[in-house]
Amino acid sequence: MDYARSDGPDKPIKVVFSIGMGESRFLKNSRLVRMLLLFAALGQADAGDTGPVKCRLLSAHETYQADSSVLVGVELSMQPGWHVYWVNPGDAGMATSIELTMPDGWTHGPIPWPVPIKFQNGALRGFGYEGDVLVPIRLSPGRDFGETAEVTVKVAWLACNEDACVPGSAELRVRLQPGAASPTSAIGKLAQAEAGLPQEDRSSGFSVTQAGDSLHLSLPASQGRDCSKVLGFPETSQTIENETVRFTLHEGVWRAKVKKNEFLAGEATRLSMVIAGECMEHPIRVFWEKP
Amino acid sequence: MSPFAILASAALALIGQPAPDFTGKNLKGESVSLSDFKGKVVVLEWNNFDCPFVKKHYASGNMPKLQKSYVEKDVVWLTINSSAEGAQGHAKPEELAKRAEKEGNQATHYLMDTSGAIGKAFGAKVTPHMFVISKDGMLVYDGAMDSKSTVKVEDIASATPLLKNAIDAALEGKAVENPKNQPYGCGVKY
């Protein structure tokens, strides 16, 4: 197995430089830009840790086998104060995207985004990630073709702090050899990230009723879901207000009243949410569609 | 929500209502008011040249092209900068004048709104957030440049041109089909 990386067409370093050259006092004085200048001087612009976001591709194994899945992961590490966005970015920003190119016959499911956090900048609310986030992705190899399998991942993000936004992208590659399972040092970290992912629950009983500009959400507190605290994040954009939804337990049902999103014309027709509670074994993704 | 926020949101411009009048200084220091342009279609564009979404529409030539073609049709185009001092996008008027020229900005006026008063009166959230005011002074569009909320230049061609459609409808005195939608961009750096 080996990794390779290159910056995408819109290299973050270039954008940061153009900001650093006089338009932003904030970035001009930051340690970040001084660091970038140092890297540029040393010719290490593609070291992978330039710009406010560092991006890495991890693999749980150095090998693949035809009949067992392969766990890889994209890790984004943000400088303090910077964030990237969830699939529903909120009032502004841009959803982070991950696209994979794999050998013929290989497949993967939808990109499973971890539970986000909400951030607020003035009146704007957003959902996303600060610090480090690891997105584990399980790949299913096709038949064993006895050759090295190359998996390429294209990641594109918008990173913002309170004063600026900078786009970034990376193209990362991992090569896996056919053969018996040979784990890497990243296996524990990837397994842990995967265990913490929201899991689809199509029979959660999640339902929505609408009254004027309010939506009433309800989720039966069955199956160990009687925590003292349950939070929800709207995955469907432009349906409810971009806030962390705080549910209250009432007669065995988690309930919350939320405001309609200002950009929703008419009634809501569908809503999917990520629900996280401290007593829940793992977060869940719940779905509602207007009957 | 703080009491101030309630007051501020109560002052927001609403679709189908008269657009709130404002006065700002252009880059030459001249006063420009919305009420100067009665009887004309007016476009408001929130700007921060360093925002990647703004770069998308300038680097591609999309924004300058729209500005030029509509100013030629007697539309008044006001590019407004509400970045606070020290925040991304803010600069002195003389520096912004050079930058606007370099970026190909063809607006009727480029207005400074460092206090954020105009931005907050309209509820401008992001750059570029676009508004259209009809010939009779009503707010008829509040939304995005187009339907594809990305920073990729190549997405412009295949996106629904929401702003362009709104200006065309306003010029013909027709109702705008999608008058309010979520604008995409960087948060306005108030």
Side-chain angles (χ1 to χ4, degrees):
Chain A
M1 180 186 69
D2 68 280
Y3 295 105
R5 63 151 290 132
S6 66
D7 287 315
D10 45 351
K11 288 182 187 174
I13 188 168
K14 284 195 173 164
V15 178
V16 175
F17 267 124
S18 73
I19 294 164
M21 292 306 175
E23 278 86 41
S24 163
R25 197 174 302 163
F26 171 81
L27 278 174
K28 194 154 124 186
N29 295 335
S30 75
R31 197 165 60 90
L32 167 68
V33 170
R34 288 204 303 274
M35 223 170 68
L36 290 175
L37 290 168
L38 179 67
F39 279 155
L42 296 173
Q44 293 180 10
D46 66 345
D49 49 359
T50 51
V53 179
K54 182 177 155 183
C55 186
R56 287 202 298 162
L57 177 62
L58 306 175
S59 176
H61 288 94
E62 294 180 354
T63 49
Y64 75 93
Q65 288 168 290
D67 50 359
S68 60
S69 61
V70 174
L71 183 61
V72 298
V74 174
E75 186 177 59
L76 294 157
S77 305
M78 277 59 80
Q79 299 251 344
W82 291 84
H83 55 249
V84 295
Y85 295 88
W86 189 39
V87 58
N88 173 10
D91 294 334
M94 183 186 83
T96 305
S97 69
I98 298 178
E99 282 174 38
L100 289 95
T101 311
M102 300 179 294
D104 283 349
W106 286 46
T107 57
H108 68 87
I111 303 297
W113 296 98
V115 178
I117 57 163
K118 192 203 98 176
F119 30 75
Q120 181 113 22
N121 187 0
L124 291 180
R125 296 151 304 188
F127 297 115
Y129 308 97
E130 292 173 350
D132 294 337
V133 62
L134 177 56
V135 185
I137 306 164
R138 210 165 257 284
L139 316 178
S140 303
R143 64 187 170 80
D144 189 348
F145 47 90
E147 284 173 24
T148 303
E150 186 172 293
V151 176
T152 306
V153 178
K154 278 187 192 169
V155 189
W157 63 83
L158 179 75
C160 296
N161 68 3
E162 283 197 2
D163 300 303
C165 293
V166 180
S169 62
E171 194 168 321
L172 308 151
R173 195 176 61 205
V174 59
R175 286 199 185 100
L176 303 163
Q177 304 302 329
S182 169
T184 68
S185 60
I187 189 166
K189 195 176 181 175
L190 282 163
Q192 196 186 355
E194 192 181 37
L197 284 176
Q199 294 187 9
E200 237 182 75
D201 186 347
R202 296 267 168 195
S203 55
S204 64
F206 178 57
S207 71
V208 177
T209 55
Q210 307 182 59
D213 283 345
S214 297
L215 285 88
H216 297 265
L217 316 180
S218 66
L219 178 69
S222 56
Q223 300 149 21
R225 287 174 198 159
D226 49 353
C227 319
S228 58
K229 194 176 162 193
V230 162
L231 301 176
F233 300 90
E235 197 173 62
T236 312
S237 59
Q238 299 185 32
T239 304
I240 64 172
E241 230 185 2
N242 293 316
E243 283 290 350
T244 306
V245 177
R246 287 164 206 285
F247 288 87
T248 322
L249 188 60
H250 183 69
E251 292 176 356
V253 179
W254 286 105
R255 294 183 190 280
K257 182 182 167 187
V258 297
K259 274 194 201 158
K260 189 173 133 165
N261 188 287
E262 64 170 313
F263 298 107
L264 177 68
E267 288 212 311
T269 54
R270 54 181 285 270
L271 177 64
S272 83
M273 291 190 78
V274 164
I275 311 277
E278 57 198 8
C279 72
M280 288 162 61
E281 210 175 308
H282 49 75
I284 52 172
R285 287 175 69 214
V286 297
F287 306 85
W288 168 80
E289 269 187 47
K290 196 178 167 183
Chain B
M1 190 186 264
S2 71
F4 175 75
I6 292 165
L7 281 176
S9 65
L12 290 190
L14 295 171
I15 291 291
Q17 302 286 318
D21 193 22
F22 60 80
T23 301
K25 290 255 164 69
N26 68 14
L27 297 178
K28 294 175 199 157
E30 300 158 345
S31 280
V32 174
S33 297
L34 179 60
S35 51
D36 299 343
F37 308 114
K38 274 181 187 155
K40 293 189 178 185
V41 171
V42 180
V43 176
L44 309 182
E45 168 210 345
W46 259 267
N47 175 269
N48 159 6
F49 283 126
D50 293 321
C51 162
F53 296 92
V54 174
K55 284 174 190 262
K56 168 189 179 182
H57 289 287
Y58 275 92
S60 61
N62 186 41
M63 189 74 87
K65 198 177 81 191
L66 285 171
Q67 290 164 341
K68 186 168 188 287
S69 72
Y70 285 110
V71 167
E72 281 170 3
K73 289 178 186 164
D74 210 24
V75 167
V76 174
W77 192 298
L78 305 176
T79 304
I80 302 175
N81 185 325
S82 299
S83 289
E85 232 178 301
Q88 192 184 41
H90 177 81
K92 290 186 179 133
E94 53 273 27
E95 288 169 25
L96 270 174
K98 282 183 207 155
R99 184 72 189 270
E101 194 187 337
K102 186 177 150 232
E103 301 285 351
N105 180 281
Q106 307 278 328
T108 317
H109 294 283
Y110 188 111
L111 301 182
M112 297 296 286
D113 180 38
T114 309
S115 75
I118 304 172
K120 285 169 187 170
F122 279 82
K125 289 182 172 171
V126 301
T127 55
H129 191 163
M130 309 301 301
F131 296 85
V132 178
I133 297 157
S134 67
K135 289 176 184 171
D136 54 357
M138 300 294 171
L139 187 68
V140 295
Y141 185 76
D142 168 357
M145 280 294 289
D146 60 31
S147 63
K148 290 204 172 169
S149 57
T150 69
V151 292
K152 292 182 194 160
V153 165
E154 58 268 34
D155 284 335
I156 295 174
S158 57
T160 305
L162 299 168
L163 171 72
K164 186 176 184 299
N165 292 350
I167 307 173
D168 287 341
L171 277 172
E172 290 169 32
K174 287 183 184 163
V176 174
E177 208 173 288
N178 185 351
K180 188 172 167 80
N181 55 68
Q182 181 163 351
Y184 67 86
C186 311
V188 175
K189 310 300 179 193
Y190 288 118

